[in-house]
Amino acid sequence: MGRSWTEMEGHQPAVMKLFSNSIKKERLAHAYLFEGGRGTGKSDAAYLLAKSFFCLESGVEPCETCRNCKRIESGNHPDVFVIRPDGQSIKKGQIQALQEEFKKTGVESKKKLYIIFHADQMTANAANSLLKFLEEPNPGTMAVIVTEQPQKLLNTIISRCQMLTFRPLAPSSIEKDLIKEGVSAHLAALLSNLTGNVAEALELSRNEEFAEARSIVIKLYEVLTHRRGHAFFYIHDKWMPFFKEKDQQELGLDLLLFIYRDVLSIQVGNNGQVLYQDLMDNIESHALQSTQAVVMNQIHAVLEAKKRLRSNVNAQVLMEQLVLTLQEG
């Protein structure tokens, strides 16, 4: 919670436009389905919608200061109900308890709103109970159903909701959010291209293992460009002991790929797109001493290594072949 519709516009303009018009014209639907990947702002939008629905002031943007906005922010408004999976699933009893609540008159007004997070985790019985609930909406009630996997919901549930798709966030948007949270500019640029998720990027920015991974990748790049004879030793001695699991190895390759992309960015005059700003001197030197064709081959080699890693090739053999190719250009 804590994001405004104005901020949301920078992340999800299509969603914001729809809600802005609907709130202004007082034509909100009785049921919405928010679908999209993790970290795309679905939860923020659900709580914002609840505040706009109950806010005691008029206007699109909730005031954040009236008693309704404050209680929704703190999670204790008597007419706003939130359902999350109980363990591994949302059970029929949770939906039935919700229905019982909705039979009562609203505590403070005729309005009631419920939000179901991870709706794809409903049991079959829970989904059928929800369907009956959606088929007979009470006046003044609103449902917000949130999921990362809409294909797992009943088509009959989807058809009774206005579906809004939350698109993956643009790297520039994630980068701004990270800098606001105190992440250094050079790290924010890298993380925003590594993940489409602000929460995940923030987590990585505070993760000592990620900092070490970045350092090991930079060192490999430096070995490849300045001490070629040591590359095999470095893979054996430093890279493999650190990048043990497949997802870690893939992260290592992604971080290496971004360095070669930075070299190409310098060569084509896009200095502002460089992600490793703290390596600028090394990257500029490499860009001057190499050709675009060679750097393109190096980028292709890392992409090919990523592809082969997914097909269960031995990771050490793969890395040895990769450094050989990268050194040859």
Side-chain angles (χ1 to χ4, degrees), residues 176-235:
K176 282 177 195 165
D177 277 5
L178 293 176
I179 290 168
K180 272 188 207 166
E181 293 286 341
V183 177
S184 65
H186 74 263
L187 196 52
L190 179 63
L191 288 168
S192 64
N193 280 267
L194 196 61
T195 170
N197 182 327
V198 176
E200 202 173 283
L202 265 177
E203 210 174 285
L204 285 172
S205 75
R206 295 162 184 158
N207 185 315
E208 286 179 18
E209 273 194 17
F210 176 75
E212 194 177 345
R214 184 178 184 275
S215 173
I216 287 170
V217 169
I218 290 170
K219 185 70 179 170
L220 174 62
Y221 171 70
E222 289 170 348
V223 168
L224 284 165
T225 47
H226 300 300
R227 300 168 62 205
R228 293 185 167 208
H230 291 77
F232 278 99
F233 173 74
Y234 188 80
I235 289 296

Side-chain angles (χ1 to χ4, degrees), residues 298-318:
Q298 289 168 324
I299 289 171
H300 177 73
V302 182
L303 288 169
E304 194 59 32
K306 274 188 70 178
K307 197 194 302 181
R308 291 181 64 214
L309 182 66
R310 292 189 194 116
S311 61
N312 294 324
V313 173
N314 178 282
Q316 178 148 338
V317 172
L318 180 143

Side-chain angles (χ1 to χ4, degrees), residues 249-311:
Q249 290 155 3
E250 193 159 347
L251 170 66
L253 288 173
D254 277 331
L255 293 173
L256 186 62
L257 176 67
F258 289 151
I259 299 181
Y260 286 100
R261 281 186 178 166
D262 280 352
V263 176
L264 187 64
S265 291
I266 296 286
Q267 288 177 329
V268 299
N270 289 337
N271 294 35
Q273 289 184 8
V274 171
L275 303 181
Y276 285 89
Q277 292 286 334
D278 51 336
L279 289 188
M280 190 61 97
D281 289 348
N282 282 9
I283 289 168
E284 283 182 335
S285 170
H286 183 169
L288 285 169
Q289 291 168 21
S290 195
T291 65
Q292 282 184 39
V294 166
V295 176
M296 286 293 290
N297 284 341
Q298 289 168 324
I299 289 171
H300 177 73
V302 182
L303 288 169
E304 194 59 32
K306 274 188 70 178
K307 197 194 302 181
R308 291 181 64 214
L309 182 66
R310 292 189 194 116
S311 61

Side-chain angles (χ1 to χ4, degrees), residues 156-175:
T156 41
I157 286 178
I158 294 171
S159 68
R160 280 165 178 76
C161 301
Q162 182 162 353
M163 186 154 83
L164 295 174
T165 297
F166 285 67
R167 304 286 176 199
L169 303 190
S172 58
S173 171
I174 297 171
E175 189 175 346

